[in-house]
């Protein structure tokens, strides 16, 4: 049976690819998409999510707008990485599908209450504001969540938005703390693994060679997105952070990690948003997350390219 998921997202080129992979995969039933402010403000992330659904030929997917700002802090955005629109690169039309009625947080709460307990997986690939707000407003839903699979944090790779912190956790560390302390089974895709799935020229060519609107759009997105990481890290191409989440749902055996304790720094100005991961198990703090560290990158790209090739064909 397909796994029921909600994708909570701030698209973002890599978010877009994560969504496309979910929509192309029969192992996944996407119940809805909840947009949050992150890479760019909410007005753009909710619009970008609809652009991506239409690109996939799925205007029936419900896209909800969520929180405009983190729980306790002003929003920090990442136009320097994703461009002014958040989805710079391809030339995609404005969406015609409407935004779903209601607030994303209410959708998350209602869905978890409606569906049998333990049957809905949450997949956050942006700051954790919507998810934490739902837990604060409706604590009864926490024990109904099957699992959370998220992109965020870093340990050996340390930070990308500050020397110590990864963007999604940094933007709303108080929300991240609520999620990491929720007791829900957590699988975490930190920069340690996402920096291993790089869109090299050959992999980008393979997207383009699909010869479909989706293949061309994904190639143009990763072309745009790679300039930042190439300059910063001298890497071979764009890291596909967020698609690690949806790829894990389909082929978990491509990934490996450790079940360890991970705490979120919320106080220090210097290290705010750091994921303090007890990778070496040097404390007796209880494990709360499976922190992924490695991936079969060739297997990942073989899966992704094959699945993207399924979209937009008659
Ligand atoms: C994360 O931050 C965003 O820029 C990406 O979409 C990803 O979710 C990587 O740090
Ligand atoms: Ca994201």
């Amino acid at each position: 049976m397909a796994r029921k998921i909600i994708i909570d997202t701030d698209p973002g080129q890599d978010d877009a690819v994560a969504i496309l992979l979910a929509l192309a995969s029969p192992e996944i039933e996407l119940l809805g998409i909840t947009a949050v402010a992150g890479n760019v403000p909410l007005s753009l992330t909710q619009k970008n999510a609809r652009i991506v659904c239409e690109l996939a030929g799925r205007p029936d997917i419900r896209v909800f707008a969520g929180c405009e700002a983190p729980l306790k802090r002003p929003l920090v955005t990442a136009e320097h990485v994703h461009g002014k629109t958040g989805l710079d690169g391809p030339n995609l039309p404005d969406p015609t599908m409407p935004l779903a009625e209601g607030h994303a947080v209410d959708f998350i709460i209602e869905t978890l209450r409606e569906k049998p307990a333990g049957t809905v997986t949450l997949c956050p690939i942006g700051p954790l504001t919507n998810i934490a707000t739902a837990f604060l407003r409706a604590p009864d839903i926490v024990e109904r969540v099957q699992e959370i699979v998220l992109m965020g944090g870093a340990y050996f790779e340390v930070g990308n938005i500050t020397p110590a912190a990864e963007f999604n956790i940094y933007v709303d560390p108080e929300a991240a703390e609520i999620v990491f302390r929720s007791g829900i089974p957590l699988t975490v895709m930190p920069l340690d693994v996402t920096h291993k799935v790089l869109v090299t020229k050959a992999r980008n060519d393979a997207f383009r060679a699909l010869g479909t609107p989706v293949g061309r759009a994904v190639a143009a997105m990763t072309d745009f997105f790679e300039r930042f990481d190439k300059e910063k890290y001298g890497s071979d191409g764009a890291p596909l952070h967020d698609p690690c989440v949806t790829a894990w749902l389909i082929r978990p055996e491509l990934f490996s990690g450790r079940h360890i304790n991970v705490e979120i720094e919320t106080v220090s100005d210097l290290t705010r948003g750091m994921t303090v991961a007890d990778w070496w198990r040097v404390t007796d703090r209880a494990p709360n997350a499976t922190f992924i560290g490695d991936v079969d990158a060739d297997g990942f790209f073989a899966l992704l390219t094959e699945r993207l090739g399924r979209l937009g064909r008659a």
Side-chain angles (χ1 to χ4, degrees):
M1 214 178 42
R3 189 197 277 251
K4 293 181 176 47
I5 72 166
I6 295 172
I7 295 184
D8 187 70
T9 177
D10 61 338
Q13 293 88 349
D14 61 319
D15 301 71
V17 180
I19 294 167
L20 292 169
L21 177 57
L23 290 174
S25 297
E27 297 87 348
I28 294 174
E29 181 186 348
L30 184 55
L31 300 176
I33 295 177
T34 51
V36 68
N39 288 323
V40 284
L42 181 70
S43 58
L44 290 170
T45 59
Q46 54 90 348
K47 177 178 164 191
N48 291 345
R50 289 181 290 138
I51 290 175
V52 174
C53 290
E54 290 192 353
L55 173 66
R58 294 296 306 274
D60 58 301
I61 298 286
R62 288 180 297 165
V63 174
F64 296 84
C67 299
E68 268 174 301
L71 297 184
K72 296 192 175 166
R73 301 175 188 278
L75 177 65
V76 175
T77 53
E79 285 88 354
H80 60 295
V81 183
H82 300 273
K84 229 173 153 205
T85 66
L87 213 51
D88 279 19
N91 216 339
L92 295 169
D94 278 354
T96 56
M97 64 185 271
L99 200 53
E101 268 177 41
H103 195 282
V105 169
D106 293 323
F107 171 73
I108 294 169
I109 294 171
E110 281 158 23
T111 305
L112 282 162
R113 284 180 178 161
E114 257 167 35
K115 302 285 180 198
T119 64
V120 176
T121 296
L122 300 178
C123 298
I125 53 178
L128 289 155
T129 320
N130 284 344
I131 307 292
T133 305
F135 292 172
L136 287 172
R137 235 187 254 166
D140 59 291
I141 64 172
V142 171
E143 62 177 30
R144 303 182 67 83
V145 178
Q146 179 177 10
E147 190 172 356
I148 295 179
V149 187
L150 67 86
M151 190 279 138
Y155 179 61
F156 294 99
E157 288 285 294
V158 211
N160 61 356
I161 184 77
T162 73
E166 180 280 329
F167 179 78
N168 289 343
I169 307 295
Y170 177 79
V171 172
D172 200 342
E174 286 77 17
E177 185 175 52
I178 289 169
V179 170
F180 276 75
R181 294 201 171 161
S182 67
I184 297 167
L186 274 185
T187 298
V188 177
M189 297 292 165
L191 298 180
D192 306 287
V193 65
T194 69
H195 281 173
K196 291 178 179 160
V197 286
L198 300 175
V199 186
T200 58
K201 179 162 185 324
R203 289 167 177 164
N204 186 280
D205 288 346
F207 295 147
R208 196 166 273 114
L210 290 171
T212 58
V214 167
R216 282 190 290 274
V218 168
M221 282 182 211
T222 53
D223 265 346
F224 178 87
F225 187 41
E226 74 167 11
R227 116 213 96 82
F228 175 77
D229 288 85
K230 269 190 167 167
E231 271 167 34
K232 183 171 168 192
Y233 297 105
S235 60
D236 286 342
L240 283 185
H241 305 287
D242 295 339
C244 287
V245 166
T246 36
W248 184 87
L249 297 173
I250 303 162
R251 297 272 314 273
E253 67 280 5
L254 292 174
F255 297 86
S256 59
R258 290 188 181 189
H259 190 55
I260 57 170
N261 177 269
V262 181
E263 301 287 335
I264 311 295
E265 175 60 59
T266 58
V267 182
S268 155
D269 277 343
L270 197 59
T271 58
R272 179 185 311 140
M274 185 171 188
T275 42
V276 181
D278 190 4
W279 184 261
W280 301 113
R281 300 191 176 109
V282 294
T283 74
D284 55 8
R285 293 195 285 260
N288 59 343
T290 300
F291 204 73
I292 301 296
D294 217 345
V295 58
D296 167 1
D298 286 335
F300 171 94
F301 279 97
L303 170 73
L304 179 59
T305 310
E306 184 270 319
R307 292 302 169 94
L308 293 179
R310 297 184 187 192
L311 290 173
R313 295 199 191 278

